[in-house]
Amino acid sequence: MSTENILQNYINNEWRQSSASEYLDVTNPATTEVLGKVPLSPSAEVDQAVQAAAEALVEWRRTPPTNRIQYLFKFKNLLEANFDDIARTITMECGKTLDESRGEMRRAIENVEVACGIPTLMQGYNLEDIATGIDEVMIRQPVGVCAAIAPFNFPGMIVFWFMPYAIACGNTYIVKPSEKVPLTMQKIFQLIEQVGLPKGVINLVNGSKETVDTILEHPTIKAISFVGSTPVAKYVYGRATANGKRAQCQGGAKNPMIVLPDADDELTRIAVTESAFGCAGQRCLAASLAVMVGEAKDWFPDAMTEAATTRVVGYGLEAGVEMGPVITSQSKDRIEGLIQKGSDEGAKVLVDGRNASISGYEAGNFVRPTILNDVNPSGEIAQTEIFGPVLSLIHVNTIDDAIAMVNSGRYGNMACLFTGSGAAARKFRYEAEIGNIGINLGVAAPMAFFPFSGWKESFFGDMHGQGRDAVEFFTQKKVVAERWA
Ligand code: NAD
């Protein structure tokens, strides 16, 4: 094992070799090349990071917000200067195409930009003369030491839904990346090192379950932001809140696309294709279910079949590739098993992406785009998050049937409607029990200045990531009533 491939933790502004007894391989999912070894850091190393963050908090919260954001301006410039290098790393460890990785980093940087507005965003409010001669003021103060626990599918972006806001508000921070894709955060922390933040303001600890459990139990950590699968989100939320911490936990999804008969065929075809097969279906905002209303079924299955069959699959660093592999061979097996399950439940497999072999990358974790038609609405495949490039088609007669189907799902991350009718669009946005809505859009990802607003089993907590919700989450309100004789 060459030492240069062993990933390190970043604690108190120092790169530290972990004393972990266990390391996992970080593997390129297209080539199966081992890119590095990630430590499963023991509890003591989480504790070191927490101590560093707690010590840093004393001065950092006293640093004027106008000074705190100067570090973020510098960070943004460093991220821009190293944009393509980070994007390549994302592609190599996560599998998405280079353009998709660039898109991810663009969204990450937007959050740094928004957090630079903290001197305005963090303001409280006041009222003179709440009683004669008495004034009242609400001020926002940082929460303390906070932590993020991230999933594999956006190795760069997701930490940015939280961390820039947290530190801009005067908190100090610990990042625990996904052990499947830890290389991107190594790169990003090399830039954080150049930013020159005071010691301990932002720390990086690699690991998996034991590392997370230590974060959940640590009494000094006051707030936790989690993004990942629903079972783990529920677990993290339950344990964090039982320990008296603030928690915002984003979970899985099963995102429906409703196609009305009056939808623009071309726009719908492009948007649903990108949503279903972009990032190999490994987005929490990936289209998973298309609900065709009325005559939409006359054209939509053929259009999707064509799109799935012609999508160029390969290694994301190569020009012209439109879709990369899924993250692991276990993911590939799980997705292929679910395709079989759909077929067993009565679906017609219009395009079968199983047993893909990509020339030059035969060992990679590739699943080609797959289309299942006439999926059983109450079967497992219609309800389960597949998290792969598989689109299930269902036919219903009316928009009311379609909305009822959307609302019967356990998740509430995103739903999209394709239509030419403003009245249908309004009805949908009014009635859908879903946190992120797209109208004639296939990936309705909220911009950095809006909350990433999952509902139901897609989110556990009150305040979401990004924008004003993030400021709310990372501050506690103090109310002062004053009388001076
Ligand atoms: P995951 O739940 O397996 O892992 C997420 C994080 O939790 C990782 O850092 C991992 O180390 C840790 N973890 C895993 N199992 C744990 C356990 N038993 N105890 C404590 N910690 C544990 O998720 P993933 O496979 O990395 O990511 C894919 C999932 O994330 C999908 O379900 C996807 O929908 C979801 N996701 C949701 C959003 C959203 O905004 N709602 C965004 C991105 C991804």
Side-chain angles (χ1 to χ4, degrees):
M1 188 158 81
S2 86
T3 47
E4 65 192 10
N5 290 334
I6 297 176
L7 304 197
Q8 296 191 317
N9 296 328
Y10 185 76
I11 297 173
N12 209 27
N13 289 21
E14 286 169 12
W15 288 101
R16 295 189 189 170
Q17 183 84 44
S18 173
S19 62
S21 54
E22 202 182 337
Y23 281 74
L24 300 179
D25 284 347
V26 184
T27 306
N28 182 322
T31 64
T32 67
E33 179 197 357
V34 175
L35 303 168
K37 307 260 181 203
V38 62
L40 302 187
S41 303
S43 300
E45 287 165 9
V46 175
D47 189 54
Q48 288 168 18
V50 176
Q51 297 310 330
E55 279 166 31
L57 186 66
V58 178
E59 285 307 317
W60 184 244
R61 69 154 289 199
R62 287 177 166 71
T63 306
T66 45
N67 293 2
R68 292 199 295 253
I69 62 169
Q70 298 310 316
Y71 295 97
L72 291 177
F73 285 118
K74 191 166 175 195
F75 189 27
K76 172 191 152 66
N77 289 337
L78 284 163
L79 289 164
E80 296 287 4
N82 293 275
F83 192 83
D84 265 351
D85 184 34
I86 299 172
R88 283 180 72 82
T89 304
I90 293 175
T91 294
M92 287 173 71
E93 68 175 346
C94 183
K96 61 183 72 172
T97 68
L98 197 49
D99 270 353
E100 289 168 344
S101 299
R102 290 186 179 120
E104 169 175 351
M105 280 317 294
R106 182 52 53 211
R107 305 310 292 264
I109 292 171
E110 283 163 7
N111 282 281
V112 180
E113 293 165 352
V114 173
C116 286
I118 225 68
T120 307
L121 291 170
M122 201 182 160
Q123 289 176 11
Y125 48 83
N126 58 59
L127 185 68
E128 256 183 1
D129 291 323
I130 52 155
T132 304
I134 302 180
D135 306 328
E136 197 156 87
V137 50
M138 187 281 276
I139 52 180
R140 291 181 182 278
Q141 297 191 334
V143 175
V145 177
C146 307
I149 301 159
F152 81 80
N153 63 328
F154 285 93
M157 175 183 74
I158 282 175
V159 165
F160 285 78
W161 290 349
F162 315 110
M163 180 258 278
Y165 304 97
I167 65 155
C169 289
N171 303 280
T172 54
Y173 216 67
I174 297 167
V175 174
K176 205 299 281 173
S178 164
E179 64 278 22
K180 296 190 181 111
V181 293
L183 291 165
T184 302
M185 274 299 139
Q186 291 274 305
K187 289 242 162 192
I188 288 172
F189 269 75
Q190 282 158 11
L191 304 182
I192 287 174
E193 188 180 15
Q194 293 175 45
V195 167
L197 280 158
K199 280 185 176 179
V201 172
I202 312 181
N203 305 276
L204 172 71
V205 183
N206 288 290
S208 62
K209 181 168 171 54
E210 183 190 338
T211 318
V212 171
D213 284 344
T214 310
I215 290 172
L216 298 178
E217 290 301 319
H218 205 296
T220 307
I221 297 179
K222 300 297 180 210
I224 293 180
S225 305
F226 171 90
V227 181
S229 59
T230 289
V232 184
K234 256 187 199 169
Y235 165 77
V236 168
Y237 186 73
R239 208 158 156 188
T241 52
N243 286 328
K245 302 179 196 311
R246 287 188 179 192
Q248 48 179 193
C249 299
Q250 302 185 206
K254 181 82 186 173
N255 304 305
M257 311 273 116
I258 301 180
V259 184
L260 295 189
D262 66 355
D264 179 312
D265 296 11
E266 184 64 359
L267 180 153
T268 307
R269 180 183 64 76
I270 293 170
V272 177
T273 303
E274 282 308 313
S275 182
F277 306 134
C279 297
Q282 297 176 121
R283 283 191 190 114
C284 66
L285 298 181
S288 186
L289 204 60
V291 185
M292 306 173 289
V293 177
E295 304 86 77
K297 76 169 188 319
D298 297 342
W299 67 272
F300 190 74
D302 286 348
M304 285 297 111
T305 299
E306 165 81 7
T309 316
T310 54
R311 197 157 185 98
V312 181
V313 180
Y315 184 21
L317 284 186
E318 287 181 359
V321 167
E322 296 172 317
M323 195 182 96
V326 297
I327 189 72
T328 57
S329 60
Q330 293 87 336
S331 272
K332 176 180 158 86
D333 292 347
R334 187 182 49 77
I335 294 162
E336 294 191 342
L338 284 166
I339 295 170
Q340 184 58 46
K341 178 84 187 170
S343 168
D344 294 346
E345 288 179 347
K348 296 184 195 68
V349 185
L350 297 185
V351 185
D352 190 345
R354 288 174 289 183
N355 306 314
S357 179
I358 305 300
S359 175
Y361 303 102
E362 286 77 5
N365 313 319
F366 290 95
V367 181
R368 285 186 183 275
T370 297
I371 306 284
L372 303 176
N373 200 5
D374 295 330
V375 164
N376 176 355
S378 52
E380 189 180 326
I381 202 81
Q383 313 291 335
T384 305
E385 179 179 44
I386 300 176
F387 223 55
V390 181
L391 183 67
S392 299
L393 312 187
I394 288 180
H395 179 248
V396 298
N397 292 321
T398 66
I399 184 173
D400 286 301
D401 296 339
I403 293 174
M405 183 171 293
V406 167
N407 289 347
S408 69
R410 54 193 279 245
Y411 298 107
N413 218 32
M414 181 188 75
C416 300
L417 179 76
F418 294 87
T419 183
S421 157
R426 185 174 190 281
K427 175 184 172 66
F428 175 65
R429 89 176 208 194
Y430 196 89
E431 295 179 10
E433 292 162 10
I434 300 282
N436 298 298
I437 295 288
I439 307 288
N440 295 319
L441 286 168
V443 183
M447 294 294 285
F449 28 82
F450 285 96
F452 195 103
S453 193
W455 285 14
K456 293 161 85 175
E457 297 233 330
S458 297
F459 182 72
F460 305 91
D462 302 294
M463 295 300 151
H464 295 87
Q466 300 198 140
R468 285 182 232 169
D469 265 30
V471 177
E472 199 71 42
F473 185 77
F474 289 116
T475 56
Q476 47 193 344
K477 300 184 199 77
K478 186 177 276 181
V479 180
V480 184
E482 284 185 285
R483 173 166 55 196
W484 297 93

